[in-house]
Amino acid sequence: MRQFSYEPPRQRIVFGAGAARRDLAAECDRLGVRRLLLITTPGERARRRDVLAPLGERIAGEFTDVREHVPAPVAEQARGAASGLAADALLSIGGGSATGTAKAVALELKLPIIAVPTTYAGSEVTPVWGLTSQRRKTTGRSPDVLPRTVVYDPELTVSLPAEVTAASGLNAVAHCVEALALPGTDPITAMFAEAGIRVLASALPAAVQDGAYVDARAGALYGAYLAGTAFAVAGSGVHHKICHVLGGRFDLPHAQTHAVLLPQVALHFERTAPDAMERVASALGTESAAAGLYELAGRIRAPVALRDIGRGENGGAGGGAGMAELDLDEAARLVGERVGLSRPDAWLILRAAFDGEPPPR
Ligand code: NAD
């Protein structure tokens, strides 16, 4: 075995159905925090009364103006709220957008975060922050933004609509595929990634079919934890960078963009990282990684074509402006410049992703 180093993220993970309701107050005591700023969306705020009730006066105030990709003015307002309340910690309840807003506050004010994720994005286990200003997203790594405690409660994901479950679940699978494809990934992280694919591929179809099936939700959330942890250590490669460029330039919805690109980038990885893609295929129980990922997307009814996401000229699902066929040239140029792919490779991936072409089996 080749030489490697591995630094596990320093966090406390609490996992279980009902854990948010049952354990959050004790987790606050454990950290010695008394004045929390709750960071969430109005929808989550309304759904989580039973989770918030046991925290009583520990919730000093709330910030609910969470936006995807953390626009800089939103981060500024959230910081103002935390300072104004003299908060001693941040409690984020929600998907990657709520966690990301808490991270933007923690980056400047150095407050600890307790994260309660309600999607499969995985941001709660990474030291990666992101901020958007003038249609360009900047990301960075800082130990200050890594949540100190993460409470995973599958009951909180029962309300996640089937289409978000599918797209967000494939965002998690993408963390795993990328971690395996990156050349420097250590064997412990690769083990997390492979296990993540296995668990997600089995849990997601059941969670999409019956959103209230808590065991399937628990499997998907555990897979999201494995995936996020693999991503935290391995970092971004071609796949995440393409999604980042397209998301920033064309205002595409984050999870759906990952879902669409994944099989097409895996097809590219079959050429550049064949051993890694064999591991992906074996975890999926299929012959080919790319075809297996495309089939999984079909089974969970996730979008497979860029033309179908964002509003764009085609009126597709998800938020954001969307991409038009005419944008493909510009997209291939940007991906070529910023991702380190040749222009023809970028074009091949994007053309197939725009149309949702099935990879060869
Ligand atoms: P999101 O947080 O924007 O949530 C998607 C939608 O689902 C929202 O409308 C939200 O209100 C809703 N929702 C969330 N949980 C729900 C629930 N349990 N029930 C019903 N509705 C629910 O989307 P996301 O995909 O979780 O996060 C995307 C953001 O996270 C992007 O900005 C992305 O860049 C970031 N991200 C960061 C990292 C990182 O390591 N820093 C990793 C992954 C994603």
Side-chain angles (χ1 to χ4, degrees), residues 41 44 47-48 68-69 95-97 103 118-119 121 123 126 128 137 156-157 159-161 164 231 254-255:
T41 57
E44 283 306 294
R47 270 190 289 273
R48 306 306 167 205
E68 194 171 28
H69 303 308
S97 300
K103 285 177 165 183
T118 63
T119 69
S123 176
T126 82
V128 180
K137 189 160 178 179
L156 271 48
T157 57
S159 54
L160 201 59
V164 188
F231 175 54
H254 174 85

Side-chain angles (χ1 to χ4, degrees), residues 193-227:
E194 206 171 327
I197 295 173
R198 234 177 266 284
V199 173
L200 286 160
S202 133
L204 287 175
V208 166
Q209 198 186 344
D210 177 4
Y213 182 17
V214 176
D215 281 354
R217 291 294 189 179
L221 201 55
Y222 177 57
Y225 159 69
L226 294 170

Side-chain angles (χ1 to χ4, degrees), residues 67-76 79 96-97 100-101 103-104 107 129-140 243-252 254 338:
R67 301 285 156 84
E68 194 171 28
H69 303 308
V70 197
V74 169
E76 204 45 58
R79 283 182 204 128
S97 300
T101 307
K103 285 177 165 183
L107 186 64
W129 54 266
L131 276 172
T132 307
S133 191
Q134 289 164 346
R135 297 184 81 81
R136 202 159 171 169
K137 189 160 178 179
T138 313
T139 59
C243 293
H244 188 100
V245 169
L246 297 186
R249 172 61 189 87
F250 301 104
D251 192 17
L252 296 173
H254 174 85
R338 298 191 196 157

Side-chain angles (χ1 to χ4, degrees), residues 115-205:
V116 183
T118 63
T119 69
Y120 308 126
S123 176
E124 66 283 349
V125 285
T126 82
V128 180
W129 54 266
L131 276 172
T132 307
S133 191
Q134 289 164 346
R135 297 184 81 81
R136 202 159 171 169
K137 189 160 178 179
T138 313
T139 59
R141 292 173 79 92
S142 163
D144 294 333
V145 308
L146 181 73
R148 294 273 287 277
T149 303
V150 182
V151 176
Y152 282 107
D153 184 344
E155 284 182 3
L156 271 48
T157 57
V158 160
S159 54
L160 201 59
E163 57 276 21
V164 188
T165 300
S168 180
L170 288 177
N171 185 186
V173 176
H175 295 334
C176 301
V177 172
E178 183 104 288
L180 286 165
L182 278 164
T185 299
D186 67 83
I188 299 169
T189 300
M191 181 185 68
F192 266 73
E194 206 171 327
I197 295 173
R198 234 177 266 284
V199 173
L200 286 160
S202 133
L204 287 175

